[in-house]
Amino acid sequence: MPSEGVTVVVGPSGSGKSTLLRCCNRLEVPTDGRVLFRGDDVAGLDPLRLRRRVGMVFQRPTPFPSTVRDNFRVAEPSITELAASRVLEQVGLEPGFLDRFATELSGGEAQRICLARTLATGPEVVLMDEVTSSVDPVQRAGLEDLARSLSSRGVAVLWVTHDLAQMRRIADHVLVVIDGRIAHASSIVALEADATPSVRSFLTEAI
Amino acid sequence: MNDIGWSGLALSLLFVLVAIVLSLWKRLGLERSIAWAAARAAAQLIAIGLLLRVLLEPGVSILWAWLWVAVMIVIASLTVRSRAPEVPGLLRLALLAFGCSAALTLGVLFGLGVFELNVRTLIPLAGLMVGNSLAATVLVGRRLVEELRDKRDEVEARLALGQPAHEAAQPYVRAALRTALIPQIETTKAVGLVVLPGAMTGLILAGVSPLDAVLVQASVMYLVLGSVATTTTVVALGVQRRLFTPDHRLLPIRSAPSGR
């Protein structure tokens, strides 16, 4: 898996996309095989430190029932006002959001707060698990832009989706997962040319 | 001393009859249950009374009373487990919780000389401790499992931010403990105004002066409060340990059996 850019993980539902993601920050442990991060088996790393280097945003927004500032403090207890407004800015929100109650935000805003919260830990990689599935099309486009801008700032993004149009919009690299196995891995450019028949049939049928 | 005797007990069966008549009249279908419950209560209490009479004979070793306490703790723990089967490892946790609570409460009551340690005091006080903390012990276990199951996304989001398991669990442990403790606090507040509690009522009926009865009752209320706090904390921390792995993952949680 490339260590930069936006890598999109696609595959039929139930194929193991989310599980693959959850193995990357050790919310789950693989029954077989290993996950390497920068050459180290993640099973040998301190899970708490690993999770701060490999952040995660979930399918449904998970705001904690408190202010946005308190949400950031869960990620970084000693976060300064300046740092807090900076991560808000990175997700395209005004500093005024710091005092808003996180559970009263719209789905899209809440999802941005969850991303900002993750960015507060200064991750090298952000895992995004179908983060646009519960937001409207405008917010979806916004989150896609955020993924692109994160990768341009050197934060690698691993983005799970079953939406192939979305994949084409944001991917630098593509992983196709079918039946719990990686059926294909390449750059988006080489996708059509290199695809095996089973991958090709997934790519055409899924549309 | 008031002594109602066997004839008094027989007359009080009239109340059971009232309940049975109601059930028949309104076709509740509960008459058999009521009769069975009444018969069981009488049999159990008479058995306990006879056993206590033997134990209270002069010269009986206090070890028998301690054995009684141990049996009560085991039965209470089995009851806790059967009422909250979805909580993993609850039998061992309940045994530990009641054990800790017994050590604390009985240690204070007898260690500081609030009551004199003998068969006559040990059994009822331990019984009050176990009996009154049972509901809260069940409640805290059920509630914590429910919180961690229903808010799994939130808990995992905390873990994903690098919070260790005990920190990630804290808001849910706190909510469960509050839920379990608040009823006991409310009962403690309302005592004397709304309810005349059992220990005091019993003493007064048996002819003890009301003020002496009240002093005993107050110390019993505090005993129960301390006991509830102890058992619920032990169970909450135990469930937390049980549901998270040492590498800070939240294990899958099975659902509560339906129909309860």
Side-chain angles (χ1 to χ4, degrees), chain A residues 22 26-27 29 47 51-52 58 60 62 64-65 74 117, chain B residues 153-154 156-164 247-249:
Chain A
R22 291 163 59 84
R26 286 186 58 181
L27 281 181
V29 172
R51 287 173 191 159
R52 297 178 72 79
F58 294 77
R60 267 170 297 173
T62 52
F64 307 138
V74 173
R117 197 171 65 186
Chain B
D153 287 359
E154 223 180 280
E156 290 199 318
R158 290 177 191 274
L159 293 171
L161 290 169
Q163 276 200 328
D247 64 343
H248 310 279
R249 285 180 292 120

Side-chain angles (χ1 to χ4, degrees), chain B:
Chain B
M1 293 278 273
N2 264 306
D3 195 345
I4 72 164
W6 292 102
S7 58
L9 176 66
L11 284 173
S12 67
L13 278 175
L14 278 172
F15 300 121
V16 179
L17 205 62
V18 169
I20 290 176
V21 167
L22 170 79
S23 170
L24 288 171
W25 178 40
K26 288 289 175 194
R27 298 198 197 147
L28 304 180
L30 291 174
E31 16 347 306
R32 289 172 71 98
S33 298
I34 294 169
W36 173 236
R40 233 185 104 158
Q44 286 169 359
L45 287 174
I46 289 166
I48 296 285
L50 291 175
L51 202 53
L52 274 174
R53 191 165 72 171
V54 174
L55 284 180
L56 289 176
E57 295 280 336
V60 172
S61 164
I62 193 149
L63 286 177
W64 288 106
W66 284 113
L67 180 66
W68 182 306
V69 174
V71 170
M72 273 195 302
I73 288 180
V74 170
I75 294 176
S77 302
L78 287 167
T79 310
V80 168
R81 182 182 63 173
S82 71
R83 286 202 209 160
E86 76 275 23
V87 181
L90 190 54
L91 179 60
R92 286 174 59 177
L93 274 179
L95 285 169
L96 182 67
F98 288 124
C100 288
S101 173
L104 179 84
T105 56
L106 301 179
V108 168
L109 287 179
F110 296 123
L112 301 182
V114 180
F115 288 91
E116 192 187 332
L117 175 58
N118 55 43
V119 178
R120 191 179 283 275
T121 51
L122 178 56
I123 293 175
L125 288 171
L128 283 167
M129 180 277 286
V130 172
N132 286 292
S133 26
L134 204 139
T137 308
V138 172
L139 187 57
V140 78
R142 298 201 77 156
R143 182 65 201 271
L144 182 55
V145 165
E146 186 184 295
E147 283 273 322
L148 292 175
R149 187 184 57 227
D150 295 350
K151 298 186 179 153
R152 181 178 197 95
D153 287 359
E154 223 180 280
V155 182
E156 290 199 318
R158 290 177 191 274
L159 293 171
L161 290 169
Q163 276 200 328
H166 66 93
E167 268 178 49
Q170 205 190 28
Y172 317 98
V173 169
R174 199 185 295 144
L177 280 173
R178 284 183 62 92
T179 308
L181 279 172
I182 284 171
Q184 191 54 47
I185 297 171
E186 292 304 315
T187 309
T188 309
K189 272 195 233 164
V191 74
L193 302 176
V194 186
V195 228
L196 289 181
M200 177 177 134
T201 327
L203 286 170
I204 292 173
L205 285 176
V208 173
S209 96
L211 198 60
D212 287 342
V214 162
L215 292 180
V216 170
Q217 182 60 52
S219 66
V220 164
M221 296 289 315
Y222 301 153
L223 154 86
V224 169
L225 200 54
S227 169
V228 166
T230 310
T231 58
T232 51
T233 306
V234 170
V235 168
L237 294 180
V239 168
Q240 177 200 316
R241 267 180 71 110
R242 184 79 193 212
L243 291 179
F244 287 90
T245 63
D247 64 343
H248 310 279
R249 285 180 292 120
L250 178 59
L251 292 170
I253 302 172
R254 61 186 164 133
S255 301
S258 53
R260 283 197 62 108

Side-chain angles (χ1 to χ4, degrees), chain A residues 182-198:
Chain A
I182 294 177
H184 177 89
S186 77
S187 72
I188 182 78
V189 188
L191 176 63
E192 311 290 338
D194 297 353
T196 60
S198 67

